[in-house]
Amino acid sequence: MRHLATAFLVGLSALLTISGVPAHAQDPLPIEAFATRPVMSNVSLSPDGRYLAYRVAQNRTGDYYIEVRETDDLGGEPVRLGSDRMDITGFSWVSDEHLRVSFMQQVRSRIEGQNAGVFQSKQAIVRADGRGRFRELFDDVQLYSSLPDRPNEILIYTAEVNYEDMNADDIRNSGRSMTALVPDFRVLNVDTMRMQTYMRGVSTLGGYRLDNDANIRIAQSFEPSTRESIYWHRAPGETSEWVELFRTNAEERNESFSIIDFDPANPNMLFVSANRGQDAASVYEFNLVTGSFGERVFGADMLEGVPHQDIDSGWYSTDPATAGELLGFVFYDSDGERQIAFINPEEQALYQQLQATFPGREVTISSRSRGSEMMVIHTVSGDDPGTYYLLANGELQVIGNQRPTLPAEALADVEYIEYTARDGRRIPAYLTVPNGEGPFPLIVLPHGGPWVNFRTTGFDEWGQLLANNGYMVLEPLFRGTTGHGNDHWQSSFGEWGGAMSDDMDDGAQFLVEQGLVDPDRMAMFGWSFGGYSSFAASIRTPQIYQCAIAGAGVGDPIEFRAFFTRNRVGRAMLEEGYAGMNTINRAEDVNIPILVVHGDLDQRVRIYHSEQFVAQLERFNKPHRFVVLEGADHFDNTLTFDHRMTLYTELLGFLENECGPGGI
């Protein structure tokens, strides 16, 4: 392999270099190495292969802009897109010459409600050659498809609204009503920015799906009287009518049904994920004409040694000529690694070659030119924070490493384990193992959500930061984590601070029994629901931790769920599921030191959750520290270099100096 644009990469690495002598493999890296934002991301070829674009950091704090280079002169001067007034978060190609750019801007002076924060995601169209200006799109624009037979035209879905204008007063003053804001499908010419109506929206429909020829074929609605989700379909053609296809009961938790995509070989056949009376969901054929299930195509039990799991995700083509076409189904093997069950033999052979080239790495073809003549390959693993390669003319070339401040030899291995909880439940988990000899101090790091299909198959910044400082890190897929069958999910209902926390504690005890962890040097650190779990851990008995660190934690699950239960779909499920210990009311029982961290602009879990918990800690004179991250929202992409420096300094300092007698 040879490096592309060597002068550029060397210069950028120098820009982000941390002062001081490089650490030896056994020494912890400076905190700045983890707080520094990735050098590059979102590396992508234009559909015709003429350009290579990527999001690039101006400095260690990020401050991203986009660089565009011509692929036949990668060492030449790039076009730079962006400005100081926007924080670019991503982009995608919408034609051979145009990019759709996503960026964050401040639109409010204060938080106006849950999920109505100070910052708003915006989007605009810009030319790759830098000519012209950023032409802003409405906030609600959803890009559905490019139109291969219509150059420079894309299919979008919009009601032409900006989200900062969506509060009730503004809508009333404009003479509109929320119910009248029905999005339509429009064809947008990205060169002229002119739009024409493609298909009128229906006020009762949403969740539209397109077939492989960009025909709008599937939609969903909700029937309040029967609590049913209704799937609709239509034949290709402008005059086709919507016809009911299938109904599911939104309150029936034991049956799952979701559409994965169209069968590339048959436009009237879907692949759907459903459990059909079984605990785990499998992939089935579903006939659009008859509205009936067909063959069971793929399930986890069809492969020997594959753990019990739902199969509910597809793997899709990134070739502009076949963009979005289903190639296979995602599953996780006995090592907890992502694998693909391909339905496309050519793609399977290609991925097998790439996996042989990069053993032990999670490999993705993140971008291609039309016809796959050129490809961008992305690899990631515990000791590879992300590397991009260009495959062209049969030659594989390095584009760049996303995190050059984190050398592979300083990073830790990540292992997949399973253990048995106290009630006999199998709990999968990922274990980040620090360099050196155990028994190690342990950090239990529960994920957020909690109803998410969480996996630690790539690079985990927090896990690696802690492991680099000598801590073993356990990330349990506790009950409530989705993707492991219906029973694993439902067994979490009403168990916030109860059986869900038991699963976390039992993982720690399992590692102690294996001789890997020192039982007198254990702590919990989590964010969001993980922060709630840390609140709960500080209260529970018998106490197994020396301290807890709660980031952006939910204090009261009932108050937290109130926002989500405004939606009638799934309301009863949330009311039963998001329930358990109110940690604010139990703060008198806190029995270990706790560090509480929260962003003051958090729109998902408002800071008053932590403020109320801390007020109770002060009332009962409990050992604690409270750190407010000024200007920080809830989500990872809103945490700046400075936020991370504060968080990581406080986290490591608290563990070392205030976590139990003498720290851990």
Side-chain angles (χ1 to χ4, degrees), residues 303-309 331-339 415-418 426 428-430 455:
L303 297 176
E304 185 176 355
V306 170
H308 186 71
Q309 63 190 277
F331 69 97
Y332 293 86
D333 64 19
S334 58
D335 293 322
E337 299 291 340
R338 186 205 70 198
Q339 302 293 343
E415 301 175 0
Y416 176 79
I417 65 170
E418 294 182 356
R426 178 189 67 92
Y430 288 89
R455 293 280 182 172

Side-chain angles (χ1 to χ4, degrees), residues 114 450 493-497 529 532 535 553-566 571-585 604-605 608-609 612:
Q114 195 158 11
F493 282 38
E495 292 293 340
W496 285 44
F529 175 79
Y532 167 87
F535 284 156
V554 174
D556 177 3
I558 295 176
E559 193 284 332
F560 176 68
R561 78 182 184 217
F563 172 81
F564 301 100
T565 53
R566 296 176 189 176
R571 178 181 297 162
M573 190 182 305
L574 282 168
E575 288 176 346
E576 184 180 348
Y578 278 28
M581 182 193 296
N582 182 324
T583 61
I584 295 170
N585 293 344
R604 175 58 61 86
V605 181
Y608 59 71
H609 283 270
Q612 291 175 10

Side-chain angles (χ1 to χ4, degrees), residues 34-280:
F34 292 92
T36 296
R37 299 299 73 223
V39 170
M40 58 163 46
S41 62
N42 212 170
V43 180
S44 182
L45 288 158
S46 61
D48 62 1
R50 179 182 175 186
Y51 298 111
L52 182 76
Y54 44 85
R55 197 168 69 110
V56 63
Q58 298 183 63
N59 47 54
R60 66 185 185 179
T61 66
D63 296 333
Y64 289 97
Y65 56 93
I66 297 170
E67 285 195 348
V68 183
R69 294 175 182 267
E70 295 193 16
T71 53
D72 62 0
D73 185 22
L74 286 163
E77 188 68 20
V79 172
R80 290 184 172 88
L81 305 172
S83 76
D84 294 336
R85 297 189 303 276
M86 60 178 66
D87 178 16
I88 292 178
T89 56
F91 70 88
S92 61
W93 289 94
V94 292
S95 79
D96 290 342
E97 302 284 344
H98 298 85
L99 298 165
R100 180 184 67 155
V101 179
S102 302
F103 54 96
M104 297 292 290
Q105 281 190 333
Q106 183 172 343
V107 297
R108 302 179 183 91
S109 59
R110 60 184 177 86
I111 299 174
E112 294 185 356
Q114 195 158 11
N115 295 333
V118 171
F119 300 99
Q120 180 64 56
S121 179
K122 297 287 186 178
Q123 50 187 327
I125 301 294
V126 63
R127 289 184 59 90
D129 60 11
R131 290 189 293 156
R133 58 184 178 84
F134 276 64
R135 294 167 295 174
E136 197 163 323
L137 299 171
F138 288 103
D139 293 347
D140 76 326
V141 165
Q142 298 179 49
L143 172 60
Y144 264 77
S145 177
S146 59
L147 299 172
D149 298 329
R150 302 169 69 169
N152 292 331
E153 291 187 335
I154 57 175
L155 184 64
I156 63 172
Y157 183 61
T158 179
E160 299 187 1
V161 296
N162 289 321
Y163 293 136
E164 64 264 32
D165 302 326
M166 289 290 284
N167 66 69
D169 290 337
D170 286 343
I171 291 171
R172 279 194 294 269
N173 293 337
S174 70
R176 301 174 294 172
S177 68
M178 286 295 292
T179 56
L181 297 177
V182 180
D184 296 324
F185 282 95
R186 309 284 183 88
V187 173
L188 171 67
N189 186 302
V190 295
D191 198 27
T192 65
M193 297 302 287
R194 294 194 181 98
M195 288 193 296
Q196 63 184 78
T197 301
Y198 182 81
M199 190 181 84
R200 291 291 184 188
V202 180
S203 62
T204 57
L205 296 183
Y208 294 96
R209 303 291 293 261
L210 276 59
D211 66 17
N212 294 316
D213 295 318
N215 299 302
I216 304 166
R217 299 286 305 281
I218 303 291
Q220 282 181 257
S221 66
F222 179 71
E223 176 52 58
S225 62
T226 61
R227 315 298 291 174
E228 289 178 307
S229 293
I230 307 173
Y231 292 82
W232 304 80
H233 79 101
R234 63 192 292 273
E238 295 181 7
T239 60
S240 297
E241 298 292 328
W242 289 106
V243 178
E244 184 176 325
L245 176 65
F246 191 74
R247 289 181 176 233
T248 63
N249 188 329
E251 308 296 347
E252 176 51 67
R253 300 195 296 264
N254 293 317
E255 293 294 330
S256 64
F257 179 90
S258 62
I259 294 173
I260 296 177
D261 213 332
F262 284 83
D263 182 348
N266 185 347
N268 289 318
M269 189 71 74
L270 296 172
F271 287 121
V272 303
S273 175
N275 61 2
R276 306 197 71 192
Q278 302 299 310
D279 181 63

Side-chain angles (χ1 to χ4, degrees), residues 355-573:
Q355 199 64 67
T357 303
F358 300 104
R361 301 284 187 266
E362 187 174 281
V363 182
T364 303
I365 304 173
S366 59
S367 174
R368 317 183 198 207
S369 64
R370 200 173 287 116
S372 297
E373 294 182 359
M374 305 174 71
M375 303 182 190
V376 173
I377 313 298
H378 182 255
T379 66
V380 66
S381 67
D383 61 0
D384 175 6
T387 307
Y388 288 102
Y389 303 84
L390 181 67
L391 179 60
N393 301 318
E395 185 178 4
L396 194 63
Q397 304 169 313
V398 180
I399 297 173
N401 188 298
Q402 290 185 263
R403 307 286 293 266
T405 59
L406 300 175
E409 63 270 16
L411 301 177
D413 291 333
V414 179
E415 301 175 0
Y416 176 79
I417 65 170
E418 294 182 356
Y419 59 89
T420 302
R422 64 191 68 181
D423 63 354
R425 179 170 300 279
R426 178 189 67 92
I427 305 297
Y430 288 89
L431 189 66
T432 305
V433 183
N435 297 322
E437 297 294 328
F440 299 103
L442 175 71
I443 308 298
V444 178
L445 182 58
H447 63 74
W451 292 350
V452 294
N453 191 351
F454 178 83
R455 293 280 182 172
T456 309
T457 59
F459 174 79
D460 185 296
E461 184 176 306
W462 290 355
Q464 291 292 341
L465 166 75
L466 291 164
N468 185 251
N469 283 271
Y471 298 100
M472 178 170 278
V473 181
L474 175 70
E475 297 180 76
L477 308 187
F478 47 83
R479 69 191 71 202
T481 307
T482 59
H484 301 270
N486 205 38
D487 183 64
H488 194 76
W489 168 57
Q490 285 197 48
S491 63
S492 71
F493 282 38
E495 292 293 340
W496 285 44
M500 299 171 81
S501 292
D502 290 346
D503 294 345
M504 304 169 198
D505 296 356
D506 292 347
Q509 298 286 34
F510 169 78
L511 296 175
V512 170
E513 293 167 4
Q514 299 299 307
L516 298 173
V517 164
D518 182 345
D520 296 324
R521 302 173 69 200
M522 301 196 300
M524 181 178 287
F525 164 49
W527 195 268
S528 194
F529 175 79
Y532 167 87
S533 299
S534 292
F535 284 156
S538 71
I539 294 167
R540 284 163 51 91
T541 55
Q543 184 57 261
I544 68 169
Y545 303 109
Q546 277 64 56
C547 72
I549 300 94
V554 174
D556 177 3
I558 295 176
E559 193 284 332
F560 176 68
R561 78 182 184 217
F563 172 81
F564 301 100
T565 53
R566 296 176 189 176
N567 187 331
R568 55 195 173 190
V569 179
R571 178 181 297 162
M573 190 182 305

